[in-house]
Amino acid sequence: MGWPNTDDFWLIGRVGRHCLSCLTLRPNFRKRQGMMPRRTKIARLLADGNTGFDTTVMGWIRTFRNNQFIALNDGSTLHNLQVVVDFENADAELLRRLTTGAAIRATGAIVASQGKGQALEMKARDIEVFGECDPEAYPLQPKKHSLEFLRDIAHLRFRTNTFGAVFRVRHHVAWAIHDFFHRRGFVYLHSPVITGSDAEGAGEMFRVTTLDPINPPLTESGEVDFKKDFFGKATNLTVSGQLEAELGALALSEVYTFGPTFRAENSNTTRHLAEFWMIEPEVAFVDLEDNMNLAEDMLKHIIRHVLENCGDDIALLESRLVEEEKNKPQQERSAMTLREKLQFCLDNDFARVTYTEAIDILRISTPNKKKKFRFPIEEWGADLQSEHERYLVEKHFGRPVILYNYPAKIKAFYMRLNEDHETVAAMDILFPGIGEIVGGSQREERYDVLRQKMEAMHIPVEEMSWYLDTRRFGTVPHAGFGLGFERLILFVTGMTNIRDVIPFPRFPGYAAF
RNA sequence: GCCUCAGUAGCUCAGCCGGUUAGAGCGGCGGACUGUUAAUCCGUAGGUCGUAGGUUCGAGUCCUACCUGAGGCGCCA
């Protein structure tokens, strides 16, 4: 029966002396036993490039050309395997069932391709249709669809080249993040998704309750009695794991969280979601500069990992952008391709400027003088609008920018007050096209200063006693930041709408699937 | 939440200053061809022009409201 398939080699490598039993687990044997035949992933077949052996592949038909050529995709790679059907001897009924979208198993010999466009192909000897796909009802065609249309069929969009690439890259980014922190000895901390604290200070929250919405139990004064609720108090979905991460860092030294985050803001933009994923490292015994270094190193590590491991997918996403930009006027096209942009980020230090320096740059900038800004920069202390951030990143510096030492008045209570008593040790990292991708700070570790700020900003001190305890018992300088995972995916993939880089987006008025 | 733009066949789109029977490509269906690369060729079906009003002799086209989508702004990651 010839050579064992490549998956059998893999199993030999994995299980050592069990290789003999593995060799018997070949397609025909397994089939006779009523077992699912073992398959080889298309990514491995194409990567190995070997020919002259039999194997089995499984996947979904992308196109069936000329009654003869199946382009088969199993999601392991962007590329399809060409499966050649001997149509002259094939059952007509089988050929009828080989339609775009159908799921099949194909068994046959891997040979060098006669045609151009692919090195390998499979001469199919046996084809089994797992699931037919009615071509009239199936919404995906072998053609370009709009991203908006695909968003409406998010359950099927994984089967397109673009979304296959996006979600493979998304996986690699997640992996690279864990890899980065693990190598540096960080502890992955799971902060709670349900929180009883309403002082996380990051916007509107989603309530979590099991109370009857029509007839909730009431207190004597007629308000909803949350003491009768599941947790005995009002609870919400988390808007940040930072406060809990700080507790972990003040014992484990270096921790990070990576989990879903929920914000009930009525945000309708290409860079906001109601449910998104956030990475929040928190580090003891460091200051703001260490924090900036950590963030920059992490972003570069991720970008390098993606360039090294997702070449095909990034190349596809890049050519997508090139096609898209052909419809734009010359001046709106990007100066760099996707890969050039990512490489540029690796090769150059991020610009680091204080808020005060940024205000000076903006004040004397051409758009400010010509009154092109909707919100002109007049004096120190104003919050920067996205038009200002875009000017700094895209026009003035032309690379990622870290802004730091913001006015205390426009930042959160937990950020450390600087010596000038006017600014806090906060930092935001701004990326071209996306804006704020990281927001962080050195934390206020001095008990008296923190308590004073909480009272001034009307944070319930009693309820937050557990947070203040860390400053009472062995407090240390520490710092951390939050990284918006989907915003990072936007940057790395070159996609422009955040709803297209998360499998099933949630935003105001929409929670399908 | 505010502002701007859009909604025409299953998908992507054209439809001029309001004018007579609503157009293409892809996809579907029928056939031909058989080493194709979103195969090609021939034929064919498919539309209450987002919804409801209004203006007009006449509305896909103009006006109003609503619905849906996209982009920008705010909030932020």
Side-chain angles (χ1 to χ4, degrees):
Chain A
M1 286 296 292
W3 296 95
N5 73 38
T6 49
D7 258 10
D8 292 333
F9 285 123
W10 181 75
L11 280 165
I12 291 165
R14 284 291 297 271
V15 300
R17 59 204 175 90
H18 298 292
C19 60
L20 285 177
S21 65
C22 293
L23 280 170
T24 63
L25 295 179
R26 294 216 310 271
N28 290 335
F29 175 81
R30 290 178 64 97
K31 201 177 169 187
R32 280 199 300 278
Q33 299 300 308
M35 298 166 76
M36 192 70 180
R38 196 166 294 286
R39 67 168 175 138
T40 307
K41 285 200 176 188
I42 290 170
R44 291 196 57 239
L45 285 177
L46 300 182
D48 293 350
N50 298 325
T51 56
F53 61 95
D54 269 28
T55 193
T56 293
V57 292
M58 301 181 191
W60 294 265
I61 296 175
R62 284 291 177 80
T63 64
F64 183 37
R65 286 185 297 269
N66 218 354
N67 222 10
Q68 192 175 176
F69 303 101
I70 298 170
L72 192 71
N73 190 281
D74 67 2
S76 63
T77 165
L78 171 66
H79 301 291
N80 303 321
L81 179 70
Q82 174 152 292
V83 176
V84 185
V85 182
D86 179 11
F87 71 98
E88 281 168 322
N89 299 307
D91 177 19
E93 179 62 13
L94 173 71
L95 293 176
R96 189 195 61 74
R97 298 167 77 209
L98 300 179
T99 60
T100 297
I104 64 163
R105 169 184 66 79
T107 299
I110 299 296
V111 299
S113 178
Q114 292 174 37
K116 290 169 188 162
Q118 60 281 314
L120 300 181
E121 64 189 22
M122 171 183 278
K123 285 275 186 205
R125 194 176 58 239
D126 182 32
I127 290 178
E128 175 186 2
V129 178
F130 291 126
E132 292 180 16
C133 188
D134 178 357
E136 195 161 16
Y138 189 54
L140 292 175
Q141 298 164 16
K143 62 167 268 186
K144 191 167 160 45
H145 291 286
S146 69
L147 296 175
E148 294 78 29
F149 170 70
L150 294 171
R151 210 173 291 151
D152 286 338
I153 50 164
H155 56 306
L156 296 171
R157 66 180 179 171
F158 298 111
R159 299 186 184 193
T160 64
N161 286 341
T162 298
F163 284 95
V166 165
F167 291 113
R168 278 185 297 270
V169 171
R170 184 181 163 111
H171 160 77
H172 275 277
V173 172
W175 167 252
I177 287 166
H178 286 299
D179 180 53
F180 174 81
F181 287 119
H182 176 72
R183 284 169 191 245
R184 292 184 174 223
F186 281 61
V187 171
Y188 176 26
L189 193 75
H190 297 96
S191 52
V193 168
I194 297 170
T195 176
S197 155
D198 61 359
E200 288 177 359
E204 295 298 310
M205 303 173 91
F206 289 103
R207 173 144 288 160
V208 175
T209 181
T210 55
L211 294 180
D212 182 349
I214 311 286
N215 289 307
L218 300 178
T219 61
E220 283 178 8
S221 55
E223 289 167 349
V224 175
D225 187 3
F226 286 106
K227 285 187 178 145
K228 303 243 169 69
D229 204 349
F230 188 88
F231 294 107
K233 63 188 294 194
T235 51
N236 297 290
L237 292 177
T238 183
V239 291
S240 166
Q242 180 200 314
L243 302 187
E244 288 90 350
E246 281 190 55
L247 311 182
L250 293 179
L252 301 164
S253 286
E254 295 174 311
V255 303
Y256 70 105
T257 72
F258 186 170
T261 309
F262 307 88
R263 305 231 173 129
E265 301 286 354
N266 191 11
S267 298
N268 293 288
T269 79
T270 52
R271 45 187 200 286
H272 288 85
L273 290 165
E275 176 183 292
F276 64 99
W277 288 66
M278 190 155 63
I279 296 94
E280 295 181 289
E282 199 68 37
V283 186
F285 314 115
V286 297
D287 60 16
L288 185 68
E289 193 183 345
D290 298 317
N291 201 30
M292 293 192 272
N293 292 341
L294 179 70
E296 185 169 342
D297 287 351
M298 178 194 67
L299 288 166
K300 286 181 171 172
H301 174 89
I302 293 162
I303 290 169
R304 189 177 302 114
H305 179 91
V306 167
L307 282 175
E308 285 170 4
N309 293 279
C310 309
D312 290 350
D313 287 327
I314 294 293
L316 173 94
L317 292 164
E318 177 178 291
S319 62
R320 249 197 95 255
L321 285 176
V322 171
E323 286 300 311
E324 205 173 81
E325 294 205 335
K326 279 183 183 168
N327 300 320
K328 287 186 184 173
Q330 193 81 42
Q331 54 186 18
E332 285 178 31
R333 295 181 196 172
S334 10
M336 285 183 264
T337 67
L338 179 58
R339 279 175 292 192
E340 284 167 352
K341 184 184 83 175
L342 295 175
Q343 191 61 45
F344 181 85
C345 269
L346 284 186
D347 296 341
N348 292 278
D349 291 339
F350 296 1
R352 296 189 187 191
V353 282
T354 64
Y355 167 88
T356 306
E357 289 164 344
I359 288 288
D360 290 341
I361 291 167
L362 288 166
R363 202 185 272 139
I364 60 166
S365 70
T366 313
N368 200 50
K369 283 181 178 165
K370 292 193 176 173
K371 305 207 185 301
K372 290 283 170 64
F373 285 140
R374 259 184 68 197
F375 299 89
I377 293 290
E378 276 153 16
E379 55 193 49
W380 193 93
D383 212 348
L384 297 182
Q385 307 291 317
S386 55
E387 59 182 348
H388 306 133
E389 296 179 347
R390 271 214 312 278
Y391 174 82
L392 289 170
V393 174
E394 291 161 22
K395 296 279 192 300
H396 188 81
F397 288 105
R399 58 191 158 125
V401 173
I402 309 183
L403 285 180
Y404 64 100
N405 287 349
Y406 281 82
K409 278 183 189 160
I410 59 171
K411 288 289 182 180
F413 73 92
Y414 50 74
M415 299 186 175
R416 191 179 197 280
L417 194 62
N418 286 326
E419 299 304 308
D420 59 15
H421 291 265
E422 290 287 333
T423 61
V424 287
M427 63 107 175
D428 284 354
I429 302 186
L430 311 175
F431 265 31
I434 292 145
E436 185 178 346
I437 199 165
V438 164
S441 67
Q442 186 173 339
R443 315 308 189 187
E444 183 54 76
E445 87 282 10
R446 297 162 296 188
Y447 180 88
D448 293 338
V449 179
L450 180 60
R451 189 174 171 124
Q452 211 176 342
K453 283 184 78 177
M454 287 172 78
E455 280 164 358
M457 293 186 184
H458 307 293
I459 308 292
V461 172
E462 305 301 311
E463 221 179 290
M464 297 288 287
S465 61
W466 51 271
Y467 183 67
L468 278 160
D469 268 1
T470 54
R471 276 65 170 173
R472 287 172 68 202
F473 307 126
T475 191
V476 298
H478 64 288
F481 60 84
L483 167 78
F485 184 61
E486 282 78 16
R487 288 190 182 174
L488 177 58
I489 307 297
L490 280 181
F491 181 75
V492 167
T493 59
M495 301 291 283
T496 50
N497 191 319
I498 202 162
R499 296 169 186 179
D500 294 329
V501 297
I502 189 167
F504 300 103
R506 273 82 182 90
F507 51 89
Y510 192 88
F513 309 103

